[in-house]
Amino acid sequence: DAGITQSPRHKVTETGTPVTLRCHQTENHRYMYWYRQDPGHGLRLIHYSYGVKDTDKGEVSDGYSVSRSKTEDFLLTLESATSSQTSVYFCAISESGGLSYEQYFGPGTRLTVT
Amino acid sequence: GDSVTQMEGPVTLSEEAFLTINCTYTATGYPSLFWYVQYPGEGLQLLLKATKADDKGSNKGFEATYRKETTSFHLEKGSVQVSDSAVYFCALGVIGNTGKLIFGQGTTLQVKP
């Protein structure tokens, strides 16, 4: 199994509070991704990174920011959490951005915003 | 823009039944196509992939063929088991060196003994 961990695994927070989710990998893969999973929507890309300090937006990036200061860590921050951000968040990694490369997924973080 | 459409679920089958989960896509160019599986409480894992037209991906008894003419990548298995119960996601790899994937909405499969 690819070495990907996510923390925390579960979090309940209040509307308006900042939240940071962490993804940590031990594979030294260059590409990292943050997705959210919601019923009826599958997985949707929030942000991704193609190297240290190199990040870009996905299709649902509003209200989220990311940072990658080390190859192994990719942080997702909700600046001011809203109820619409209640979701399951998955981190994924990939060795390359090429078309045929597999993404490996972490176990997910279940976030509830009350 | 690029998109993936999967058949609505849930799909409920008896053990040893034949499985088909339909997947169609819209894309410019020739993307790679994937099927990922998510078992309860876990992250997604790659089930199979195909990188060009007429390629057949296969793994664990599952198969899917990349059909350019019908823009489809349907997942099939000849005889399902209870352990195949999971959520199945069809995805396409966006062209460009980003590795971005676009996922379908997922299809839940429940196999009963």
Side-chain angles (χ1 to χ4, degrees):
Chain A
D1 289 346
I4 310 169
T5 57
Q6 293 185 231
S7 58
R9 294 293 312 280
H10 302 271
K11 186 169 182 67
V12 180
T13 191
E14 294 184 347
T15 298
T17 60
V19 177
T20 295
L21 308 183
R22 180 182 184 234
C23 176
H24 179 79
Q25 60 145 327
T26 57
E27 305 297 321
N28 200 37
H29 282 359
R30 180 180 170 192
Y31 286 76
M32 300 185 75
Y33 308 84
W34 276 109
Y35 294 90
R36 59 178 289 173
Q37 183 180 20
D38 303 290
H41 291 278
L43 275 76
R44 292 178 292 175
L45 182 66
I46 304 171
H47 283 279
Y48 69 102
S49 170
Y50 47 96
V52 173
K53 297 186 180 179
D54 292 323
T55 65
D56 205 350
K57 295 179 180 180
E59 62 179 306
V60 289
S61 58
D62 287 349
Y64 302 94
S65 62
V66 290
S67 65
R68 191 169 179 199
S69 58
K70 298 185 289 185
T71 297
E72 58 266 35
D73 289 326
F74 192 32
L75 304 181
L76 176 71
T77 297
L78 290 65
E79 302 289 349
S80 177
T82 67
S83 58
S84 64
Q85 294 175 311
T86 292
S87 187
V88 181
Y89 291 85
F90 286 99
C91 173
I93 65 174
S94 181
E95 186 178 350
S96 168
L99 273 181
S100 64
Y101 282 83
E102 176 180 356
Q103 289 190 16
Y104 300 90
F105 284 79
T109 293
R110 183 173 295 276
L111 176 68
T112 302
V113 183
T114 61
Chain B
D2 296 352
S3 65
V4 176
T5 301
Q6 286 181 239
M7 62 184 290
E8 293 285 336
V11 174
T12 303
L13 296 173
S14 298
E15 208 164 21
E16 300 183 2
F18 184 86
L19 168 70
T20 300
I21 300 178
N22 290 338
C23 171
T24 58
Y25 68 91
T26 301
T28 40
Y30 304 101
S32 290
L33 299 172
F34 305 83
W35 277 99
Y36 281 82
V37 59
Q38 183 181 32
Y39 298 103
E42 299 183 8
L44 280 70
Q45 55 187 273
L46 181 68
L47 181 59
L48 53 85
K49 69 180 182 184
T51 58
K52 63 182 187 296
D54 300 325
D55 266 3
K56 178 185 283 188
S58 60
N59 185 26
K60 300 181 181 179
F62 291 90
E63 293 183 339
T65 301
Y66 187 159
R67 300 287 188 199
K68 177 172 164 286
E69 62 277 11
T70 55
T71 60
S72 65
F73 193 54
H74 305 322
L75 182 68
E76 296 181 335
K77 187 175 185 183
S79 176
V80 295
Q81 305 300 312
V82 172
S83 57
D84 293 326
S85 298
V87 183
Y88 292 82
F89 293 92
C90 185
L92 72 82
V94 176
I95 292 176
N97 197 32
T98 64
K100 290 195 289 186
L101 295 175
I102 292 176
F103 287 88
Q105 65 268 44
T107 302
T108 300
L109 171 65
Q110 184 178 20
V111 181
K112 296 186 174 180

